[in-house]
Amino acid sequence: MSAAAASNAIAITPEIVKEHGLTQEEYQRACDILGREPNITELGIFSVMWSEHCSYKTTRKWLRTLPTEAPHVICGPGENAGVISIGDGQAIIFKMESHNHPSFIEPFQGAATGVGGILRDVFTMGARPIALMNALRFGEPSHPKTRHLVGGVVSGISHYGNCVGVPTVGGECTFHASYNGNILVNAMAVGLADASNIFYSAAAGVGNPVVYVGSKTGRDGIHGATMASAEFTDATEEKRPTVQVGDPFTEKLLIEACLELMATDAILAIQDMGAAGLTSSSLEMSSKGGSGIELDLDKVPMRESGMTPYEIMLSESQERMLMVLKPGKEHIAEEIFTKWGLDCATIGRLTDTGNLVLKMHGEVYADMPAAALADEAPVYDRPWNPAPKLPTLAAEDVAEPEDYGIALRKLIGSPDLCSKRWIWEQYDHMVMNDTVMRPGGDSAVVRIHDTKKGLAITTDCTPRYCAADPIEGGKQAVAETWRNLTAVGAKPLAITNCLNFPNPEKPDNMGQIVGCLQGMAEACRALDYPIVSGNVSLYNETNGKGVQPTPAIGGVGLLDDAQYARGLALVEGLEIVLLGTTKGHLGASIYLREIAGREEGAPPPVDLAEEKRIGNFVRSLILRDKLAACHDLSDGGLLITLTEMCMAGKVGAHVVFPEDLPRHAFAFGEDQARYLVAVPRAGLPLLLGEAEATGIPALHLGRAGGDSLVVSDMLEVSIAELRATNEAWLPNYMSGKL
């Protein structure tokens, strides 16, 4: 008996069903769909297609409530990535996705293949990738695994992005004990395409050839999607074989070969082989097109001998694509992919049966309804508890620092607020020569090649806000990216998201999911800022301890002329003005956590009407060349924002704080909808006059100059000292000095 036949003869027991991540109810549903018990290959296919990672069976109900449409949206959620128009016949294709579990188990390959996978989502649709971003969450620095995980993840991201030749232009990195047993690695890719030549995955046309291209199939990554849909235990290390292995040089060849073939008229449909590999790609293509699909697995290029249908279909080997071509065009694909040194094989055809049929060695190993697998996964309405409302902390209930200079140095040198230069200097952020604004600012800006246009890109989320109040936290995550784009002068266009949450079967956790999505939806509607793509990552939990709710948001915005992009650096003589209302909100703040040692209280409320009104005012100033510098206020409040602007320009400032609020509340409160802007002295009356005329709160704080930051009688500290403190923590930590 062959290995393939022997594998299919395995008896399906309740234990095997459980190992595949299916409940008994789900298994019975699979039996009902087939009209019989599945064999092991079919069980494996049900397992991955009905996993949370592939089916979104827990969140689908709530995801449908998100706003996804706008005049500039070409394609919203449901394809490999979202597509928006930026005018002139050009489109931006972008998405963010998680690779959390693989990166915890094997940080280098887990992070690297996360980059590779998100790149394929973008160029699958016809875009040339132009930028990468990431959002990273690690455990507390004192945890024994954290340093190893940081080093491995950053190395994996830099290796893959640098080798494939796409600039990594920014991101974020924070630390918290909730991520000790389950880090988060979210990758975002952005590509540029011809708006009239977008490629989709729906495959139709009986007899049309199904063509496999790219790398050969091996045994790496089997059960990757299932593993990503379950929480961790102490046996996590045993899951190392489920982590994929990437090859960025092959990915670069695959990008060029696919784009070359896309310039012909040969492709009818195309899908990358990501989670669940050949299974998900073939089923998604056929089900969307209302077709059946028959595959001859003997024809699949394989790099290992004796692979079974189960292994072939569930492998998550990287750098592979599946296409449906026009009949008679196979030779065009073969010539192109052979030229680029990649495999190209016709492995099947579309049928009118509506079924996925798998054959190998002349035997049938699966015969399953494609639409049922892709579209009839269980959809759960899990019970959920609304998050309890936490009390708002009064400033008087939070201790003022004994020494503001010491407090500022501690904050600016803390893991969350320290410079992440050690990370982004490992990334090639200048390759392709279109990066206008580099990492370290509110948003990266990439020039649209051969045009004046600039694309602003950012990622953001404040998990401590989401934990304290999921609705306000969800609103703030969206609003923060909107401010980041606005702060450089870009018009925010659309977002992608990566929704990272713990076990949704616990009603409190499910309440966090529901609340964050409610807040996100409200913010997107108020800001005319639709969600066009995304990813859900659940069961981010180890031994029953979940991560903070982390709905990471990736935003893109457009500058008609990239020369108007504004940075945050102050220069000598600029006048400094605070725009927006300050009430001194200290609940759930960085100050409260790092200085007072408390994690409590309601987060700052988000007034979306004020966000839009003040943000539009700021953007109009930038686009009329009225601001010399701009920085939105977020973590750490006004004093941290001012310090960052001084450090960026290597210049000091003399400012005076008002006396109508407690000093520490004004300095460190994290009220939303605020910007710190700087103008030449001659421009100050115009700025203040326009603000007054439009009802925008504006407060002239002082002037940039000298080599120290001086705040009335509160503090005086040298910028050189602050820069040294800010730059030191991460290199010292990674070198083992801390």
Side-chain angles (χ1 to χ4, degrees):
M1 182 184 294
S2 69
S7 72
N8 242 35
I10 295 173
I12 307 301
T13 65
E15 291 72 26
I16 288 178
V17 171
K18 185 177 180 180
E19 287 172 6
H20 282 75
L22 295 174
T23 66
Q24 279 301 313
E25 292 78 11
E26 289 170 342
Y27 178 69
Q28 185 58 53
R29 184 182 184 125
C31 293
D32 293 343
I33 287 172
L34 291 179
R36 56 178 171 79
E37 286 197 340
N39 60 40
I40 190 66
T41 301
E42 293 168 332
L43 179 67
I45 290 171
F46 273 113
S47 169
V48 293
M49 290 304 295
W50 288 5
S51 67
E52 286 283 2
H53 195 76
C54 292
S55 73
Y56 297 169
K57 58 190 176 186
T58 289
T59 53
R60 194 180 302 181
K61 169 186 174 179
W62 300 101
L63 294 174
R64 290 172 180 151
T65 67
L66 298 175
T68 61
E69 297 179 350
H72 57 277
V73 174
I74 296 173
C75 177
E79 280 290 339
N80 288 287
V83 187
I84 59 172
S85 169
I86 57 168
D88 305 312
Q90 295 177 311
I92 292 297
I93 300 179
F94 67 106
K95 187 181 181 184
M96 179 186 275
E97 200 161 69
S98 63
H99 233 221
N100 304 333
H101 286 46
S103 298
F104 185 80
I105 297 167
E106 176 50 63
F108 181 91
Q109 288 295 350
T113 51
V115 174
I118 200 64
L119 284 170
R120 288 194 298 280
D121 281 336
V122 164
F123 73 76
T124 293
M125 298 191 71
R128 177 171 291 281
I130 60 172
L132 289 163
M133 299 280 283
N134 54 70
L136 312 176
R137 315 283 173 188
F138 296 104
E140 55 192 341
S142 59
H143 190 274
K145 287 188 176 181
T146 299
R147 185 181 289 109
H148 163 70
L149 292 169
V150 173
V153 165
V154 172
S155 294
I157 291 171
S158 63
H159 171 73
Y160 208 100
N162 294 355
C163 290
V164 83
V166 178
T168 301
V169 295
E172 56 175 340
C173 174
T174 61
F175 299 79
H176 190 270
S178 71
Y179 306 107
N180 281 349
N182 196 128
I183 64 173
L184 303 183
V185 175
N186 297 170
M188 177 177 173
V190 181
L192 177 67
D194 183 338
S196 64
N197 199 33
I198 307 298
F199 289 81
Y200 298 99
S201 57
V206 174
N208 285 340
V210 178
V211 178
Y212 171 120
V213 299
S215 292
K216 289 180 169 60
T217 295
R219 291 187 170 94
D220 53 316
I222 293 173
H223 286 305
T226 306
M227 178 268 290
S229 305
E231 62 183 80
F232 281 157
T233 67
D234 291 330
T236 294
E237 294 298 324
E238 298 173 6
K239 299 187 178 186
R240 194 175 301 274
T242 63
V243 178
Q244 310 91 330
V245 178
D247 180 352
F249 298 107
T250 298
E251 182 107 336
K252 173 61 174 173
L253 299 176
L254 188 61
I255 291 172
E256 300 304 329
C258 285
L259 293 178
E260 184 174 337
L261 185 61
M262 287 169 172
T264 73
D265 66 345
I267 299 175
L268 292 173
I270 182 169
Q271 176 78 33
D272 83 297
M273 294 192 219
L278 187 53
T279 290
S280 63
S281 57
S282 59
L283 284 167
E284 287 175 15
M285 292 175 76
S286 59
S287 64
K288 286 179 182 177
S291 301
I293 187 167
E294 183 176 302
L295 302 180
D296 183 349
L297 300 185
D298 289 309
K299 295 180 179 179
V300 173
M302 288 175 269
R303 66 168 184 260
E304 299 183 49
S305 62
M307 290 191 71
T308 65
Y310 180 97
E311 293 171 326
I312 294 168
M313 293 303 293
L314 271 61
S315 167
E316 293 185 10
S317 294
Q318 298 291 285
E319 294 86 43
R320 302 180 301 158
M321 311 284 277
L322 198 63
M323 303 176 176
V324 173
L325 302 183
K326 293 180 180 178
K329 302 286 187 178
E330 297 93 326
H331 69 284
I332 298 176
E334 186 173 353
E335 289 172 4
I336 291 172
F337 282 87
T338 299
K339 181 185 76 172
W340 288 100
L342 298 169
D343 279 289
C344 179
T346 300
I347 65 168
R349 63 186 182 88
L350 298 183
T351 70
D352 60 1
T353 66
N355 280 12
L356 169 69
V357 177
L358 304 178
K359 295 182 177 180
M360 192 172 187
H361 309 325
E363 301 287 337
V364 174
Y365 283 85
D367 191 345
M368 316 166 71
L373 281 160
D375 302 328
E376 294 185 25
V379 176
Y380 292 121
D381 186 3
R382 297 194 188 277
W384 58 281
N385 296 331
K389 291 293 182 182
L390 300 179
T392 298
L393 290 183
E396 294 76 14
D397 295 332
V398 180
E400 185 177 6
E402 294 182 7
D403 186 310
Y404 277 85
I406 292 174
L408 177 58
R409 285 189 289 269
K410 183 174 181 180
L411 283 170
I412 208 68
S414 66
D416 278 12
L417 296 181
C418 74
S419 169
K420 301 307 186 294
R421 183 184 301 274
W422 181 90
I423 294 176
W424 57 257
E425 282 192 338
Q426 297 184 52
Y427 306 151
D428 188 340
H429 47 272
M430 297 302 294
V431 65
M432 301 174 75
N433 204 33
D434 280 321
T435 305
V436 176
M437 295 189 69
R438 307 179 184 189
D442 287 305
S443 297
V445 178
V446 176
R447 183 183 294 104
I448 302 300
H449 201 65
D450 292 331
T451 76
K452 291 183 178 181
K453 293 185 291 190
L455 192 75
I457 314 166
T458 187
T459 60
D460 223 304
C461 180
T462 311
R464 64 182 186 278
Y465 291 175
C466 296
D469 185 329
I471 295 177
E472 290 300 316
K475 287 161 57 175
Q476 193 274 342
V478 172
E480 173 73 4
T481 65
W482 197 87
R483 281 201 307 272
N484 287 342
L485 298 171
T486 295
V488 300
K491 177 177 175 53
L493 293 178
I495 67 173
T496 182
N497 60 65
C498 197
L499 308 176
N500 309 273
F501 292 93
N503 185 345
E505 296 169 39
K506 300 176 181 178
D508 287 348
N509 293 344
M510 192 65 211
Q512 293 176 343
I513 296 171
V514 173
C516 283
L517 287 171
Q518 289 174 339
M520 289 167 54
E522 184 179 344
C524 288
R525 290 190 182 94
L527 299 173
D528 302 317
Y529 194 35
I531 297 172
V532 298
S533 62
N535 170 246
V536 179
S537 175
L538 305 182
Y539 296 95
N540 289 289
E541 191 161 312
T542 300
N543 294 330
K545 295 181 179 179
V547 302
Q548 286 186 324
T550 311
I553 305 295
V556 298
L558 185 67
L559 288 133
D560 290 333
D561 192 334
Q563 72 170 334
Y564 287 105
R566 283 295 173 267
L568 55 86
L570 293 175
V571 297
E572 188 87 22
L574 290 178
E575 302 292 338
I576 302 166
V577 177
L578 172 64
L579 299 177
T581 302
T582 300
K583 296 181 179 179
H585 194 104
L586 290 170
S589 67
I590 283 278
Y591 173 85
L592 188 71
R593 189 181 76 191
E594 298 294 328
I595 304 301
R598 298 160 60 186
E599 293 188 64
E600 58 186 278
V606 181
D607 185 330
L608 294 167
E610 279 294 275
E611 289 283 1
K612 190 171 186 177
R613 192 170 71 92
I614 296 174
N616 288 344
F617 176 72
V618 169
R619 192 182 314 106
S620 74
L621 292 170
I622 293 174
L623 297 182
R624 288 183 287 129
D625 204 19
K626 302 299 183 184
L627 298 184
C630 181
H631 193 14
D632 87 299
L633 275 72
S634 55
D635 291 345
L638 172 61
L639 194 53
I640 292 299
T641 301
L642 177 59
T643 301
E644 290 173 343
M645 296 178 78
C646 289
M647 293 190 302
K650 299 180 181 178
V651 66
H654 286 67
V655 299
V656 176
F657 287 176
E659 298 180 358
D660 56 341
L661 282 176
R663 295 188 305 174
H664 65 308
F666 190 83
F668 301 114
E670 295 182 5
D671 305 276
Q672 301 294 292
R674 296 186 299 162
Y675 299 80
L676 202 59
V677 301
V679 295
R681 187 176 304 180
L684 181 61
L686 175 65
L687 170 61
L688 296 178
E690 286 197 19
E692 182 177 10
T694 52
I696 301 294
L699 179 64
H700 180 213
L701 294 176
R703 182 179 303 155
D707 56 11
S708 294
L709 174 58
V710 181
V711 183
S712 43
D713 61 347
M714 285 170 50
L715 67 85
E716 180 173 351
V717 60
S718 83
I719 296 302
E721 180 184 352
L722 289 170
R723 277 176 55 87
T725 301
N726 181 245
E727 297 280 354
W729 186 85
L730 193 51
N732 285 343
Y733 174 71
M734 293 308 297
S735 64
K737 295 178 182 178
L738 295 177

